[in-house]
Amino acid sequence: MEIIIQPDAEAATAVASHIVSQLLRNKPNAVLGLATGRTTVGLYRVLAQMKLDWSGVTTFNLDEYVGLPPEHAQSYHTFMRENLFRHVNVSPENTHIPDGTSGNIVELCEQYETQIRAAGGIDLQILGIGTDGHIGFNEPTSSLASRTRLKTLTQQTHEDNACYFGGADKVPDHVITMGLGTIMEARQCLLLAFGAKKARAIASTVEGPITSINPASILQMHPKVTVCLDRAAAADLKRADYYRWAYANKPGWQKF
Ligand code: GLP
C-alpha cells in the first residue's frame, strides 16, 4: 500500500485525480470502477474540469440500493449522472450500475460479474470507506472472497446515510454490491478517505489485522493500492511519519 497524507481533502483529491487522469490519458479505453458518496464528489468535479476524453472509457459502479429506481433522487444512478456522467463524454451504454429494481437479483449479480470480465476487468477501482470499514457495501463479516451479491446494511450505515433519506429508518435495508473478491481483481485500487470520522477505519485498514470485521483490510493483500487521505483521516495511523517521509522522498522512477 502507498499511503499519501495531504493537509486537506482538496490536496488529497488532487493527487487522486492525477492518478485517474494519467490512466485515461495512457489508456483511452480504460475500465474504471466507480464509487459514490461525499468523498468522491470533489474527485468527479476535478476530473470533469480536466476535459479528459471519456469516449472510450467503460465504467462499473460498486453498488446500488435495492428498491430504488434509477430516477430516484438518492439512487446511485442519480448520484453518478449528476456528479460525473452528465459532465463528461462517456457513452451511456458503457456505464454500468446494478439495477436495484431487478426482479432477479441473483441473475443480475452473475451478469454483472460476466460484464466486468467481458470488458477485460477493471483497470482502476476508486473506493471510499464506510465508518464501519465497508468498501462498496461490503459490510463487516462480508466474505473476503465475496462476489457481486445482495447485502443487508448495518445499523451504523443506516445512521451514516440517514441524512440523505430523512432518517435512518428510511434508508433501504438491502443493497447490491460488488464483492470483496470482485474488488480485489481490479488491477489497481485507489482508496480515498477524508475527515476524523474515517480515522479509525483507516487505521484498522492500513495497520490492523486482515479480518472480515473490517472488510477494507483485505486491501492489504492487493499488490497495487494507493490510499489518499487528509490529515484528519490519517490521525490514528501509528506510522504516519514513515508514510509522509516515503512519499516526500519517492524516487523519480517510482513516481506515477
Ligand atoms: C457509501 C458507499 C460507499 C462509500 C461509503 C462512504 O455508503 N456505498 O461506496 O465509499 O459509503 O461514503 P462517504 O464518502 O459519503 O463517506
Side-chain angles (χ1 to χ4, degrees):
M1 273 190 192
E2 179 176 35
I3 317 299
I4 302 175
I5 304 170
Q6 295 291 296
D8 53 35
E10 200 183 341
T13 295
V15 174
S17 66
H18 185 68
I19 294 170
V20 181
S21 62
Q22 284 287 96
L23 173 68
L24 297 201
R25 289 194 179 105
N26 293 338
K27 190 173 180 186
N29 62 344
V31 180
L32 275 185
L34 300 176
T36 54
R38 272 164 290 232
T39 311
T40 55
V41 170
L43 174 64
Y44 295 147
R45 191 187 316 119
V46 173
L47 288 173
Q49 285 164 356
M50 285 177 157
K51 301 284 173 222
L52 300 158
D53 181 10
W54 290 70
S55 60
V57 174
T58 298
T59 68
F60 287 92
N61 264 80
L62 284 165
D63 45 21
E64 180 57 287
Y65 292 105
V66 169
L68 297 197
E71 56 280 6
H72 189 284
Q74 299 310 330
S75 77
Y76 286 161
H77 282 77
T78 298
F79 178 97
M80 290 312 304
R81 205 170 45 243
E82 292 305 313
N83 288 289
L84 181 65
F85 295 158
R86 74 186 182 91
H87 305 291
V88 297
N89 66 335
V90 69
S91 305
E93 64 272 20
N94 290 347
T95 66
H96 305 84
I97 306 176
D99 176 5
T101 61
S102 167
N104 190 341
I105 288 176
V106 172
E107 196 182 310
L108 174 142
C109 293
E110 279 170 16
Q111 275 171 5
Y112 208 64
E113 293 276 338
T114 306
Q115 286 174 315
I116 293 171
R117 270 195 299 277
I122 291 171
D123 290 302
L124 175 65
Q125 177 64 60
I126 296 166
L127 297 166
I129 188 167
T131 59
D132 63 2
H134 71 224
I135 49 176
F137 265 136
N138 291 282
E139 295 287 35
T141 71
S142 285
S143 161
L144 299 179
S146 51
R147 313 301 308 189
T148 304
R149 69 207 184 294
L150 186 82
K151 279 298 288 180
T152 305
L153 295 181
T154 59
Q155 187 55 33
Q156 179 67 58
T157 301
H158 278 87
E159 283 160 23
D160 288 346
N161 291 353
C163 55
Y164 300 115
F165 290 88
D169 56 335
K170 299 198 177 69
V171 177
D173 294 330
H174 297 107
V175 293
I176 299 166
T177 181
M178 273 189 212
L180 294 171
T182 320
I183 292 168
M184 288 293 285
E185 280 173 11
R187 285 183 270 282
Q188 183 176 0
C189 291
L190 176 59
L191 172 64
L192 285 78
F194 310 139
K197 272 172 38 184
K198 302 294 174 71
R200 203 177 50 155
I202 285 297
S204 306
T205 297
V206 175
E207 297 175 340
I210 298 172
T211 165
S212 65
I213 290 297
N214 181 47
S217 63
I218 189 60
L219 293 172
Q220 293 177 28
M221 295 291 289
H222 194 287
K224 198 169 181 194
V225 179
T226 305
V227 183
C228 292
L229 306 171
D230 68 358
R231 196 180 284 124
D236 289 357
L237 289 170
K238 291 194 172 59
R239 294 174 184 264
D241 289 347
Y242 168 65
Y243 311 138
R244 284 197 173 93
W245 190 91
Y247 185 62
N249 293 280
K250 198 165 165 170
W253 54 266
Q254 225 185 23
K255 294 210 166 106
F256 31 74

